[in-house]
């Protein structure tokens, strides 16, 4: 039976309607096309070694793994890596550094054991990124903010790094993401990364297993509120405070320099709200010759740092630097330094902190069986004598802490001051033993300081013998006028080149005293000036005049002609002209008895006050007269 026309029409219309509806609906999405993308960056604790394995895990918007993973390896010892033509569709990833050995910036050597680090990164724009310790520390916090607090990825990253900076006493504003901070980028954030990394290493005794546990504990503590508990906060703070930043900076710069990359200075000290005092290396440290060399280098760097502040305060007090901006510095220029002055207290305590380090070096070098390390006891004694000479100049009778009593004083620090004469005698005797044992590179310093002490003790004939040996050795000579403070050689005896690649940064007030990039703690001009003083006291006036004229004429002056009676004053004038702001002029004025007149002050102001804090801590100390 054929269908009626009406029924057939209805069926056709329904079919057309179905087809029409179907044609108006959205077509299903085509299958996802895998993207072949390129990602690159660096893996840094310190830099990870070449060949370290990295794995990238694709994440969804909730930071859950999608199951897609790819691997690669670092391609150099700077920790550089590349993921080439990998098929990822998501915008986010977790990158893992798997059990890699790294450069330890605290020891200056490769780590003895591996460590793993992770980072959460956005790969949307395929920008380079870095896997560093900050990324590991913030990881759980970022996951919590995204998954629990429902923040988007970028907001979570920005909040997590800001909280991390605050927890670690960083006063610099944070970048939006940790993975865009690199040790090699020359920024303040590079200095922050290095400071945090080194502090955690110190807290872990450079032990990778301990470091991993500490990082995990911090990450877990930050997870829910972005804050550290008091125990972890104090652990970090104490380690940061004790960092030897100069040595750490030199180590990391040398590492990159060896890899062909010159880095800018790391201003670690300027990035944190707490003061970084420096470190004392533990007794078990001295196991290799390299350990001794590293510790010796740390001491020398600390002496450079200390000498800068010493030159500034001595220059202010001697009137060769004028400062009217800071009241605490102006007190020195006006000879009104109080016992509570922070600069006076800082320099005093810095001397004794460094003396403690030197005593450790001498003590360990005496006792060690490490081949070629014993000579550090003699080098250390020259440092010790130099620091006590400075202490005596500014504060008079010192508390005499030396290699034979420092451990006892650490246990019972209530010790009275010793007479300057007895301290000077002990130092002279120690240097008489040390100087003949010194290597050529250290001999000039030892001989010069010994001659200083012999001069100040009135032992002029003995000083003459030491000076003749040093002058006749031919190791040093006066530099040309333009090169005195622009070159270490030929005049520098104990010097530092602030213009050298990889140098530590200068004191923030260096412009007050500096004469050039070559910073001389001891130089040959002083040798000739000491020699002229000795000849004056021995009655050799012609020789004394000839030696100061060498310096005076080199500096552009006319030949000096003076009587024997005025020669002593002429020597001091050359000190004031040639060696001002080098820690020598104030002492020279006192030796010639002209300090009160020249500085318009009284005899009680020829020494600085013992800091109030030291007096409170040690009732055995007596304040200098007039304070």
């Amino acid at each position: 039976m054929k269908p009626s026309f009406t029924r057939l029409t209805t069926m056709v219309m329904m079919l057309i309607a179905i087809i029409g509806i179907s044609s108006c609906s959205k077509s299903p999405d085509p299958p996802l096309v895998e993207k072949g993308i390129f990602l690159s960056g660096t893996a840094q604790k310190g830099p990870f070694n070449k060949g370290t394995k990295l794995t990238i895990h694709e994440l969804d918007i909730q930071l859950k793994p999608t199951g897609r993973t790819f691997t690669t390896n670092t391609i150099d010892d700077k920790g550089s890596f590349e993921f080439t033509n990998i098929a990822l569709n998501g915008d986010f990833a977790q990158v893992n550094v798997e059990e890699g050995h790294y450069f330890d910036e605290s020891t200056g050597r490769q780590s003895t054991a591996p460590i793993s680090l992770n980072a959460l990164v956005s790969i949307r724009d395929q920008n380079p990124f870095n896997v560093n310790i900050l990324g590991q520390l913030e990881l759980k916090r970022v996951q919590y903010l995204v998954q629990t607090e429902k923040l988007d990825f970028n907001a979570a990253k920005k909040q997590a790094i800001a909280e991390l900076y605050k927890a670690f006493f960083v006063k610099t504003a944070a970048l939006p993401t940790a993975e865009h901070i690199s040790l090699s980028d020359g920024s303040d954030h590079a200095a922050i990364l290095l400071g945090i990394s080194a502090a955690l290493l110190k807290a872990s005794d450079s032990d990778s297993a301990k470091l991993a546990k500490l990082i995990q504990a911090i990450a877990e503590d930050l997870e829910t509120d972005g804050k550290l508990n008091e125990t972890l906060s104090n652990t970090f703070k104490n380690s940061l405070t004790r960092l030897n930043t100069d040595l750490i900076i030199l180590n990391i710069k040398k590492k990159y320099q060896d890899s062909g990359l010159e880095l800018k200075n790391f201003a670690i000290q300027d990035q944190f709200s707490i003061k970084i005092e420096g470190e004392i290396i533990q007794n078990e440290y001295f196991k290799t010759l390299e350990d001794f060399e590293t510790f010796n280098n740390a001491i020398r760097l600390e002496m450079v740092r200390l000498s800068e502040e010493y030159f500034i305060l001595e220059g202010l007090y001697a009137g060769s630097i004028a400062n009217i901006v800071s009241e605490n510095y102006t007190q020195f220029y006006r000879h009104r330094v109080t016992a509570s002055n922070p600069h006076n207290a800082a320099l005093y305590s810095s001397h004794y902190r460094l003396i403690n380090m030197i005593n450790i070096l001498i003590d360990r070098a005496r006792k060690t069986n490490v081949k070629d390390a014993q000579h550090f006891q003699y080098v250390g004694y020259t440092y010790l004598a130099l620091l006590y000479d400075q202490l005596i100049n500014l504060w008079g009778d010192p508390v005499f802490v030396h290699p034979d009593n420092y451990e006892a004083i650490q246990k019972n620090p209530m010790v009275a001051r010793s007479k300057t004469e007895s301290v000077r005698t002990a130092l002279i005797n120690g240097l008489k033993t040390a100087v003949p044992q010194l290597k050529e590179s250290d001999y000039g310093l030892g001989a010069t300081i010994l001659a200083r002490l012999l001069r100040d003790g009135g032992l002029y004939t003995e000083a003459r013998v030491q000076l003749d040996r040093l002058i006749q050795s031919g190791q040093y000579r006066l530099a040309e006028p333009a090169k005195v403070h622009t070159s270490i050689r030929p005049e520098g005896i104990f010097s530092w080149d602030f213009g050298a690649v990889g140098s530590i940064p200068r004191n923030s007030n260096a412009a007050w005293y500096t004469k050039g990039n070559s910073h001389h703690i001891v130089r040959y001009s002083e040798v000739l000036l000491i020699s002229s003083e000795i000849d004056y006291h021995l009655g050799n006036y012609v020789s004394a005049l000839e030696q100061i004229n060498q310096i005076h004429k080199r500096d552009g002056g006319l030949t000096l002609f003076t009587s024997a009676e005025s020669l002593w004053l002429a020597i001091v004038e050359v000190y004031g002209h040639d060696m001002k702001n080098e820690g020598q002029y104030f002492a020279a004025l006192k030796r010639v008895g002209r300090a009160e007149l020249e500085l318009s002050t009284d005899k009680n102001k020829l020494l600085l006050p013992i800091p109030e804090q030291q007096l409170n801590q040690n009732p055995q100390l007596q304040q200098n007269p007039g304070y």
Side-chain angles (χ1 to χ4, degrees):
M1 178 177 165
K2 293 182 182 181
S4 68
F5 177 79
T6 303
R7 184 177 179 188
L8 180 59
T9 302
T10 302
M11 292 175 63
V12 170
M13 293 301 294
M14 289 177 64
L15 180 60
I16 292 172
I18 292 171
I19 294 171
I21 292 171
S22 180
S23 65
C24 290
S25 0
K26 185 177 179 181
S27 301
D29 290 334
L32 290 175
V33 178
E34 295 180 346
K35 299 180 291 184
I37 64 174
F38 174 82
L39 299 172
S40 64
T42 58
Q44 303 170 334
K45 162 45 207 81
F48 280 92
N49 292 355
K50 182 179 180 180
T52 300
K53 182 180 178 181
L54 292 93
T55 301
I56 188 166
H57 304 266
E58 185 182 62
L59 305 176
D60 63 20
I61 61 172
Q62 286 298 306
L63 305 184
K64 301 292 186 181
T66 66
R68 290 173 178 266
T69 64
F70 299 90
T71 62
T72 191
N73 297 92
T74 52
I75 56 178
D76 57 34
D77 286 334
K78 297 192 292 287
S80 305
F81 62 81
E82 296 176 352
F83 288 96
T84 303
N85 198 31
I86 57 174
L88 296 177
N89 293 306
D91 289 333
F92 311 114
Q94 179 170 326
V95 184
N96 309 121
V97 179
E98 301 182 15
E99 294 294 312
H101 285 80
Y102 57 91
F103 180 76
D104 183 328
E105 61 272 14
S106 294
T107 65
R109 297 190 289 269
Q110 295 301 313
S111 64
T112 56
I115 196 171
S116 297
L117 290 181
N118 300 275
L120 297 173
V121 300
S122 171
I123 57 174
R124 179 178 303 161
D125 299 321
Q126 300 181 35
N127 291 323
F129 58 84
N130 307 295
V131 183
N132 56 47
I133 202 166
L134 300 179
Q136 179 70 61
L137 291 165
E138 70 167 14
L139 187 142
K140 288 183 176 294
R141 180 61 175 158
V142 174
Q143 290 174 329
Y144 181 86
L145 291 172
V146 170
Q147 295 168 358
T148 304
E149 300 293 336
K150 306 305 179 184
L151 269 64
D152 67 43
F153 182 80
N154 290 337
K157 292 283 286 186
K158 184 176 181 179
Q159 180 173 329
I161 190 64
E163 291 170 341
L164 189 63
Y165 270 31
K166 184 177 181 180
F168 285 150
F169 308 99
V170 177
K171 59 185 181 182
T172 307
L175 286 177
T177 58
E179 63 269 20
H180 291 134
I181 301 171
S182 169
L183 288 171
S184 59
D185 67 22
S187 69
D188 287 344
H189 300 281
I192 292 165
L193 174 58
L194 182 59
I196 291 173
S197 174
L200 294 177
L201 267 176
K202 171 168 275 298
S204 309
D205 301 321
S206 285
D207 182 309
S208 294
K210 292 181 182 178
L211 177 62
K213 289 180 180 178
L214 178 59
I215 293 172
Q216 181 180 358
I218 292 173
E220 290 176 350
D221 194 42
L222 291 169
E223 182 176 3
T224 58
D225 62 3
K227 298 178 181 179
L228 281 182
N229 65 47
E230 185 176 0
T231 300
L232 287 172
S233 181
N234 287 336
T235 296
F236 177 81
K237 182 178 180 180
N238 292 337
S239 296
L240 181 67
T241 301
R242 294 186 294 115
L243 283 183
N244 187 321
T245 55
D246 290 338
L247 183 61
I248 289 164
I249 291 167
L250 279 186
N251 285 340
I252 199 71
K253 282 190 169 185
K254 185 177 186 305
K255 166 63 179 175
Y256 276 99
Q257 190 177 45
D258 291 345
S259 299
L261 183 62
E262 299 289 351
L263 299 187
K264 296 180 181 179
N265 283 321
F266 292 81
I268 297 175
Q269 299 265 4
D270 298 335
Q271 310 309 323
F272 296 89
S273 60
I274 59 176
K275 186 175 181 180
I276 301 176
E277 299 283 355
E279 69 176 349
I280 298 296
I281 297 180
Q282 298 300 314
N283 296 346
E284 64 270 15
Y285 176 78
F286 299 92
K287 296 179 180 179
T288 67
L289 180 60
E290 189 174 15
D291 288 343
F292 280 93
E293 291 170 342
T294 298
F295 196 50
N296 180 62
N297 289 337
I299 289 172
R300 292 177 74 92
L301 287 171
E302 289 296 320
M303 292 186 76
V304 172
R305 275 282 181 230
L306 181 146
S307 68
E308 287 193 282
E309 190 67 11
Y310 180 80
F311 286 3
I312 289 171
L313 298 191
E314 190 270 351
L316 285 166
Y317 214 76
S320 55
I321 299 174
N323 174 267
I324 57 173
V325 176
S326 166
E327 170 61 24
N328 287 326
Y329 278 119
T330 302
Q331 286 183 14
F332 289 87
Y333 182 70
R334 295 175 177 171
H335 311 113
R336 298 175 183 173
V337 180
T338 65
S340 61
N341 184 287
H343 302 301
N344 182 54
L347 186 61
Y348 187 92
S349 61
S350 292
H351 272 83
Y352 278 103
R353 185 171 61 253
L354 190 47
I355 283 169
N356 194 44
M357 290 180 68
I358 294 167
N359 282 327
I360 291 173
L361 176 66
I362 296 170
D363 186 34
R364 298 302 177 269
R366 283 175 175 176
K367 298 173 180 177
T368 188
N369 292 319
V370 175
K371 184 180 179 182
D372 297 328
Q374 291 86 355
H375 81 278
F376 284 108
Q377 64 183 294
Y378 308 118
V379 177
Y381 213 87
T382 67
Y383 303 154
L384 201 67
L386 173 59
L387 292 184
Y388 275 113
D389 182 66
Q390 293 176 352
L391 279 167
I392 289 168
N393 180 35
L394 292 187
W395 292 282
D397 295 346
V399 174
F400 191 32
V401 187
H402 51 78
D404 296 325
N405 71 0
Y406 80 100
E407 290 182 320
I409 290 177
Q410 285 177 343
K411 296 175 182 177
N412 180 18
M414 306 303 175
V415 179
R417 301 165 72 181
S418 298
K419 293 295 183 182
T420 292
E421 293 76 14
S422 65
V423 173
R424 185 181 291 130
T425 298
L427 294 171
I428 288 171
N429 290 334
L431 284 175
K432 285 180 178 179
T433 300
V435 169
Q437 304 297 326
L438 294 172
K439 295 181 178 180
E440 183 176 300
S441 58
D442 301 307
Y443 167 69
L445 176 62
T448 304
I449 302 306
L450 177 54
R452 267 193 208 176
L453 297 175
L454 289 167
R455 173 202 62 195
D456 294 345
L459 302 172
Y460 304 126
T461 301
E462 290 187 59
R464 181 73 269 158
V465 171
Q466 293 295 331
L467 289 165
D468 286 344
R469 288 174 184 167
L470 177 56
I471 293 169
Q472 292 167 14
S473 73
Q475 287 189 53
Y476 310 99
R477 58 183 172 81
L478 292 179
E480 297 174 10
K483 294 184 177 180
V484 177
H485 299 289
T486 60
S487 177
I488 298 297
R489 306 299 293 176
E491 189 155 338
I493 294 176
F494 186 22
S495 307
W496 181 264
D497 184 2
F498 280 108
V501 173
S503 171
I504 59 175
R506 302 204 78 145
N507 185 291
S508 59
N509 295 317
W512 295 354
Y513 81 88
T514 186
K515 304 173 187 178
N517 283 330
S518 296
H519 174 78
H520 300 294
I521 300 174
V522 178
R523 62 183 173 98
Y524 189 63
S525 285
E526 185 193 349
V527 173
L528 292 182
L529 285 166
I530 296 173
S531 182
S532 67
E533 288 186 70
I534 297 303
D535 280 345
Y536 169 81
H537 287 296
L538 293 175
N540 301 324
Y541 303 129
V542 173
S543 176
L545 184 59
E546 189 275 332
Q547 288 174 96
I548 63 170
N549 265 320
Q550 286 186 49
I551 301 170
H552 190 63
K553 291 168 68 177
R554 186 275 306 276
D555 293 343
L558 298 175
T559 300
L560 295 173
F561 298 96
T562 184
S563 65
E565 292 77 14
S566 300
L567 180 58
W568 189 208
L569 293 178
I571 293 171
V572 174
E573 287 179 6
V574 176
Y575 265 110
H577 179 267
D578 187 75
M579 301 203 72
K580 68 177 181 180
N581 304 340
E582 294 184 55
Q584 298 299 316
Y585 185 46
F586 181 45
L589 286 174
K590 289 194 285 186
R591 286 197 301 277
V592 78
R594 298 277 295 183
E596 294 172 55
L597 178 63
E598 293 289 336
L599 304 180
S600 301
T601 190
D602 62 71
K603 66 179 181 179
N604 285 333
K605 301 301 180 182
L606 298 186
L607 294 174
L608 296 175
I610 301 300
E612 185 176 69
Q613 181 181 10
Q614 301 295 327
L615 294 171
N616 293 337
Q617 292 174 351
N618 181 5
Q620 294 294 321
L621 291 181
Q622 296 294 315
Q623 182 59 277
N624 285 326
Y627 293 99

